[in-house]
Amino acid sequence: RRGGFWFLGDRSLPLPCVLRMGQCALLNLFLILGRPTLSSEVGIIICDIANPASLEEMAKQATVVLNCVGPYRFYGEPVIKACVENGASCIDISGEPQFLELMQWKYHERAAEKGVYIIGSGGFDSIPADLGVIYTRNKMNGTLTAVESFLTIHSGPEGLSIHDGTWKSAVYGFGDQSSLKKLRNASNLKPVPLIGPKLKRRWPISYCRELKSYSIPFMGSDVSVVRRTQRYLYENLEESPVKYSLFDICCLCNCGGNLMFAGLFFLFFVRVWNWTGNLRNDVLYQCTLCFLSQLMPHHLRLTFFGQGYSKGIGTDKNKPNIKIVTQLKGPEAGYVGTSIAMVQAAMTLLNDASDLPKAGGVFTPGAAFSKTKLIDRLNKHGIEFSVISSSEV
């Protein structure tokens, strides 16, 4: 951090990713990539989301805009609108399902007309989960039908915390779940077919035998993003849809215990809010934040347990006969991992254009990048995918 600015990015690029941490986030600074020539010194374009003309001027000068400023439900749409109307693609790191799905509903057709790509959840939410399922599917010698994944966070010596903007996004998102339900009901989407048996339901606190640890449901956007990706792959590429669930692994003897109790506390207050309508966002924010300490997690591991059918085995009456375990290992998720994922997604958007969906639109990471070399790029930059085991049952 220097002089009120945070510098994020990837060492392979001579470009910093800069965002202004203002009180109201009215001043947004964006990383702009993809112009044919770049000067030795990167300039700064200042634009204000309250000033549409400034956003339009920014978008006209960009090929790809990386938008790092949230909560996106408050600050995201003006940027997307400016990019779509002025021919710039855009990647954000939103983990807010209502915002992500609303933007797809409002701007997909217009973005397709303009030939631009709007890609949400391009950071820790939700590239590891979304691309992890695709990696697992690609490595299975058969048809993958279901995946359970478990996120393990290893903290540094001073504990675990979460960024203020990320936590506020979660608070406002969970506090307004009724709007998300209305949006999904209004979309009238046809149900995706169920291939193979359903995933087993777990208790709010359950034990994972394979990892010998307790877990709680993951409360982020990953599951909804993966489901949207699977719908896209089924409807547009005729690929078999994969059922998906995600859990946090919590060790009671270290900071994972704080994470588990914060999560349960968060769920409790969200339920109270939904039942009574009397709990304010700021109260929920202050009550849950007290469980977390000062530093972001040191590194993470995301383990995928997949099951499916070998070639030639019918999925209607038979039980799954193949199991596969894959794993993603990465650095600290909130700043380092998210920066790597976002920048490599942008480089993929610029360099693998022939492997993207044929027309533009609003996409999940998996829908946009399933046929590209993004996984290879991530492997080269510290977010590593690997197969742990694969066997027939």
Side-chain angles (χ1 to χ4, degrees):
R1 184 181 182 187
R2 302 174 187 171
F5 294 87
W6 289 92
F7 290 78
L8 310 175
D10 184 270
R11 292 182 181 179
S12 66
L13 294 173
L15 297 172
C17 181
V18 188
L19 62 155
R20 177 73 166 93
M21 308 298 290
Q23 182 177 1
C24 298
L26 291 178
L27 178 63
N28 298 349
L29 301 181
F30 302 92
L31 172 63
I32 301 176
L33 296 176
R35 282 303 177 202
T37 59
L38 291 175
S39 61
S40 59
E41 293 190 9
V42 179
I44 294 177
I45 300 172
I46 298 178
C47 48
D48 189 335
I49 62 168
N51 182 354
S54 69
L55 292 176
E56 292 174 2
E57 185 63 25
M58 175 272 298
K60 289 176 182 178
Q61 302 177 63
T63 299
V64 178
V65 177
L66 304 190
N67 182 6
C68 305
V69 180
Y72 290 89
R73 65 168 49 235
F74 302 131
Y75 310 123
E77 184 172 358
V79 179
I80 288 179
K81 183 177 180 180
C83 288
V84 170
E85 295 300 328
N86 293 278
S89 294
C90 180
I91 298 175
D92 66 46
I93 50 176
S94 172
E96 304 162 51
Q98 181 186 355
F99 169 80
L100 294 167
E101 295 180 33
L102 180 62
M103 294 303 99
Q104 184 175 32
W105 184 76
K106 293 181 68 172
Y107 293 100
H108 179 72
E109 292 184 0
R110 183 60 173 165
E113 292 175 5
K114 289 284 190 174
V116 299
Y117 295 86
I118 307 299
I119 301 169
S121 53
F124 172 67
D125 296 312
S126 298
I127 280 182
D130 208 13
L131 272 295
V133 172
I134 290 173
Y135 175 83
T136 305
R137 181 202 64 193
N138 293 343
K139 293 299 181 180
M140 173 172 274
N141 187 23
T143 301
L144 180 69
T145 60
V147 173
E148 274 192 323
S149 63
F150 294 84
L151 174 65
T152 306
I153 293 176
H154 299 275
S155 70
E158 298 187 41
L160 172 72
S161 73
I162 193 168
H163 188 271
D164 175 80
T166 302
W167 200 245
K168 285 182 178 177
S169 297
V171 168
Y172 284 99
F174 277 94
D176 193 24
Q177 288 181 321
S178 60
S179 297
L180 179 58
K181 291 180 180 179
K182 291 178 182 178
L183 176 63
R184 289 174 175 172
N185 290 335
S187 65
N188 293 320
L189 295 175
K190 296 180 180 179
V192 174
L194 183 67
I195 309 298
K198 296 181 179 180
L199 286 170
K200 63 181 180 181
R201 299 191 66 177
R202 292 179 176 269
W203 292 95
I205 301 179
S206 61
Y207 187 74
C208 177
R209 293 181 180 179
E210 294 84 355
L211 299 178
K212 299 180 181 180
S213 298
Y214 287 94
S215 67
I216 61 173
F218 184 74
M219 295 178 293
S221 63
D222 292 35
V223 172
S224 65
V225 170
V226 170
R227 288 175 179 170
R228 288 168 57 213
T229 293
Q230 294 305 312
R231 172 180 291 279
Y232 173 85
L233 297 178
Y234 168 73
E235 293 179 346
N236 294 274
L237 302 180
E238 299 182 350
E239 296 182 4
S240 179
V242 179
K243 300 176 289 294
Y244 181 70
S245 60
L246 174 59
F247 302 90
D248 274 321
I249 288 293
C250 301
C251 178
L252 296 176
C253 62
N254 62 18
C255 70
N258 273 2
L259 180 63
M260 182 180 72
F261 286 117
L264 294 175
F265 200 67
F266 187 91
L267 284 175
F268 170 75
F269 272 95
V270 166
R271 296 302 181 192
V272 171
W273 186 336
N274 289 335
W275 290 335
T276 67
N278 292 328
L279 187 63
R280 301 201 324 267
N281 283 325
D282 56 343
V283 175
L284 178 59
Y285 170 72
Q286 294 295 337
C287 288
T288 50
L289 195 62
C290 68
F291 281 97
L292 303 173
S293 56
Q294 295 302 313
L295 291 181
M296 299 298 291
H298 186 261
H299 64 279
L300 64 91
R301 183 174 72 244
L302 187 56
T303 307
F304 301 84
F305 295 92
Q307 64 180 25
Y309 297 84
S310 57
K311 296 179 180 179
I313 301 296
T315 62
D316 295 335
K317 298 181 180 180
N318 297 303
K319 293 182 178 180
N321 69 328
I322 295 182
K323 289 186 176 181
I324 185 172
V325 181
T326 63
Q327 195 170 87
L328 177 149
K329 291 183 178 180
E332 178 274 312
Y335 287 101
V336 181
T338 288
S339 301
I340 292 171
M342 189 183 205
V343 171
Q344 294 310 312
M347 297 303 294
T348 302
L349 192 60
L350 293 170
N351 295 316
D352 296 355
S354 61
D355 297 322
L356 297 170
K358 297 303 180 183
V362 180
F363 298 99
T364 61
F369 299 126
S370 65
K371 305 301 181 183
T372 69
K373 298 178 181 178
L374 177 56
I375 291 177
D376 295 336
R377 293 178 186 277
L378 294 173
N379 271 319
K380 294 177 182 178
H381 290 82
I383 299 178
E384 301 174 354
F385 298 78
S386 61
V387 176
I388 303 302
S389 65
S390 179
S391 63
E392 290 195 12
V393 180

